[in-house]
């Protein structure tokens, strides 16, 4: 193989796995700067803190792969978390309250998707309006106050979803990897997943090929809503109550994880594994800055710089390809 071809292949390999390389580098630097970083308790803490953002981000990945965007997932998390807390406090078992919250989240996402698909309105505008409306609905539903999950066996069982352990590992970590396997299987091993990539790659060609583009668009927003609802259940269970302002700016963290993971904002290109790695990059960065005692204000600047760098690299890689 010519040396030039080998160099291009090596460069392509580095670009395709840039998020994973960034994660390895970040872990190495964090471990060198703090003896506490690689302790088992801290690593489990990183994974548990990352789980909520990762679950949301994996749902948002479906939307971005179709060249869309969803700014309402943080508000959906707050409202569905309040639904779950109310149902739990009223004595409804988790095997009913959790699916109920997921269905509510999927329905909220589906409404946004219908406006995008059938109304032909920009996804940014639709989901920005949805974010405002759903956030308002969460404040109305909770009356601006936390909703406790209550006490008793039902509340204790529900709390396990966010605060419980199994074999020494927090339950939210299992949920995060369950969602990862599910999303990975759907995207890479089903016809629906292939259609998601096709719609994002070229919507007009996908439509001419017989793909029901509107159905795909509505479905991906429903998936994003359901993932946000699951994250809301986990957060509510962990806190023991639903907070009316929960999920503020979570949509930005989720989009950041997707972009850092290599999914193109133009649609049609990306991997669910990259999103998981992108969420871990943000989680490790937050944890390392906390351990080092860096102010939360500087943490926001550092996070913004990482996102900007990821977008810049993505833009350059698209230009070169």
């Amino acid at each position: 193989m010519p040396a030039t071809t080998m160099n291009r292949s090596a460069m392509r390999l580095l670009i395709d796995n840039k998020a994973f390389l960034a994660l390895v580098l970040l872990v190495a630097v964090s471990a060198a700067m703090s003896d506490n970083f690689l302790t088992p308790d801290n690593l489990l803490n990183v994974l548990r803190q990352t789980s909520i953002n990762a679950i949301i981000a994996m749902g948002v990945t479906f939307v971005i792969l179709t060249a869309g965007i969803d700014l309402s997932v943080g508000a959906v998390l707050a409202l569905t978390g309040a639904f779950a807390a109310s149902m739990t406090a009223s004595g409804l078992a988790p095997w009913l309250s959790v699916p109920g919250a997921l269905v509510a989240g999927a329905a909220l996402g589906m409404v946004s998707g219908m406006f995008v698909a059938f109304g032909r309105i920009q996804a940014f505008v639709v989901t920005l309006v949805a974010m405002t409306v759903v956030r308002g609905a969460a404040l109305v539903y909770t009356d601006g106050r936390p909703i406790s999950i209550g006490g008793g066996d039902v509340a204790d069982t529900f709390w396990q979803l966010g605060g419980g352990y199994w074999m020494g590992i927090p339950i939210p970590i299992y949920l995060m990897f369950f969602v990862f396997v599910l999303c990975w299987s759907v995207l890479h091993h089903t016809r629906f997943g292939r259609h998601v990539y096709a719609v994002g790659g070229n919507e007009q060609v996908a439509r001419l090929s017989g793909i029901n583009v509107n159905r795909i668009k509505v479905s991906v927003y429903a998936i994003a809503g359901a993932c946000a609802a699951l994250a809301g259940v986990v957060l509510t269970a962990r806190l023991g109550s639903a907070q009316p302002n929960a999920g503020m700016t979570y949509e930005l963290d989720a989009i950041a994880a997707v972009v850092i993971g290599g999914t193109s904002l133009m649609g049609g290109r990306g991997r669910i594994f990259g999103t998981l790695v992108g969420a871990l990059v943000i989680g490790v960065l937050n944890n390392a800055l906390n351990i080092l005692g860096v102010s939360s204000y500087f943490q926001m600047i550092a996070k913004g710089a990482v996102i900007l760098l990821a977008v810049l690299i993505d833009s350059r890689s698209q230009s070169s390809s």
Side-chain angles (χ1 to χ4, degrees):
M1 182 182 293
T4 305
T5 305
M6 290 182 64
N7 289 337
R8 286 180 180 173
S9 300
M11 185 60 70
R12 188 74 256 170
L13 186 65
L14 288 174
I15 291 174
D16 289 344
N17 295 282
K18 57 184 179 297
F20 186 74
L21 295 174
L23 178 63
V24 172
L25 179 63
L26 197 55
V27 168
V29 172
S30 301
M33 297 182 71
S34 172
D35 295 335
N36 296 323
F37 181 78
L38 286 181
T39 60
D41 286 345
N42 187 58
L43 292 178
L44 286 178
N45 186 43
V46 171
L47 288 173
R48 179 163 60 182
Q49 289 180 343
T50 301
S51 61
I52 290 177
N53 184 34
I55 291 171
I56 300 173
M58 284 187 268
V60 172
T61 301
F62 282 80
V63 175
I64 293 181
L65 280 172
T66 62
I69 197 80
D70 192 345
L71 301 176
S72 66
V73 287
V76 171
L77 177 150
L79 183 57
T80 53
F83 287 161
S86 296
M87 288 186 281
T88 303
S90 66
L92 203 63
W95 66 271
L96 287 174
S97 61
V98 173
L102 297 187
V103 169
L108 290 169
M110 190 178 296
V111 171
S112 295
M114 291 176 72
F115 276 100
V116 173
F118 297 104
R120 305 294 176 93
I121 306 174
Q122 292 268 345
F124 176 84
V125 176
V126 171
T127 57
L128 184 63
V129 172
M131 178 180 71
T132 306
V133 172
V134 176
R135 178 65 66 186
L139 291 170
V140 170
Y141 184 78
T142 61
D143 201 18
R145 292 175 294 190
I147 297 178
S148 172
I149 63 173
D153 293 340
V154 171
D156 288 344
T157 304
F158 181 80
W159 177 84
Q160 292 290 329
L161 293 171
Y165 287 77
W166 186 60
M167 298 180 66
I169 298 175
I171 298 295
I173 297 177
Y174 289 106
L175 292 174
M176 176 179 69
F177 283 108
F178 170 75
V179 173
F180 166 71
V181 171
L182 186 62
C183 291
W184 178 82
S185 300
V186 170
L187 268 182
H188 298 291
H189 295 284
T190 67
R191 178 184 294 179
F192 173 78
R194 291 192 292 275
H195 288 180
V196 169
Y197 280 101
V199 171
N202 190 319
E203 182 176 329
Q204 188 63 27
V205 171
R207 200 181 297 278
L208 293 173
S209 301
I211 295 174
N212 189 332
V213 173
N214 289 343
R215 183 177 66 83
I216 296 296
K217 285 189 174 182
V218 173
S219 299
V220 295
Y221 284 91
I223 291 171
C227 287
L230 178 59
V233 167
V234 173
L235 182 63
T236 300
R238 184 180 174 188
L239 298 176
S241 65
Q243 305 297 317
N245 290 320
M248 286 282 192
T249 72
Y250 279 25
E251 58 277 351
L252 300 182
D253 282 348
I255 293 170
V258 177
V259 173
I260 291 171
T263 297
S264 171
L265 288 170
M266 305 303 290
R269 188 169 60 84
R271 295 179 300 169
I272 206 73
F273 176 71
T275 297
L276 179 62
V277 173
L280 288 172
V281 167
I282 294 177
V284 169
L285 182 64
N286 285 336
N287 182 263
L289 293 174
N290 282 330
I291 290 178
L292 295 174
V294 177
S295 160
S296 60
Y297 305 137
F298 284 106
Q299 290 186 27
M300 294 175 67
I301 295 173
K303 196 187 301 182
V306 169
I307 296 168
L308 186 62
L309 182 62
V311 173
L312 183 63
I313 293 173
D314 179 64
S315 176
R316 290 294 180 88
S317 64
Q318 286 195 55
S319 300
S320 61
S321 62

